[in-house]
Amino acid sequence: MTDVPVDLDKHRGMAAQKATDLRRALADVESHVRELREREAELENRMMTVPAMSWPEAAVKARHLLNLYAASLPVEDTRHRALVAALLDDFVRLSGEA
């Protein structure tokens, strides 16, 4: 017996290697998505429990909500997408971030 581990990926066929790589990539993506959802939930809980102390802080909350709304719009709803984009541009202009 040897102490050197055997790289099983080298002994698989090309199709099996591709399937293994896809499973690994999918597991990695699912892990990142889960982490992102947890962080987003934590952020939203903080936004709900901590009141804004200024207009810029309230605008941050409004931007987040507008982005969620825009993401839920159908692609063909260009009018509402344009309205959200215009409002986000107003936030930037009025806050002096430009």
Side-chain angles (χ1 to χ4, degrees):
M1 192 150 100
T2 178
D3 290 334
V4 179
V6 176
D7 185 3
L8 295 177
D9 285 342
K10 290 182 181 177
H11 296 285
R12 294 186 182 146
M14 190 57 114
Q17 276 184 301
K18 286 183 179 181
T20 299
D21 290 343
L22 284 173
R23 283 192 305 273
R24 288 177 181 160
L26 180 60
D28 192 38
V29 167
E30 288 172 346
S31 171
H32 284 92
V33 167
R34 188 172 38 257
E35 290 172 11
L36 180 61
R37 286 186 183 140
E38 290 170 0
R39 289 176 54 203
E40 186 176 43
E42 181 182 320
L43 171 68
E44 289 172 353
N45 284 335
R46 287 183 56 199
M47 286 181 162
M48 282 188 289
T49 58
V50 178
M53 302 307 271
S54 65
W55 281 109
E57 287 180 16
V60 168
K61 291 181 179 184
R63 278 188 187 122
H64 178 69
L65 202 56
L66 285 168
N67 284 325
L68 289 175
Y69 171 68
S72 71
L73 289 172
V75 176
E76 58 273 359
D77 192 352
T78 57
R79 183 170 181 231
H80 285 145
R81 288 183 178 279
L83 185 59
V84 169
L87 184 55
L88 292 173
D89 288 344
D90 287 344
F91 283 165
V92 170
R93 183 176 46 80
L94 293 172
S95 68
E97 295 174 7

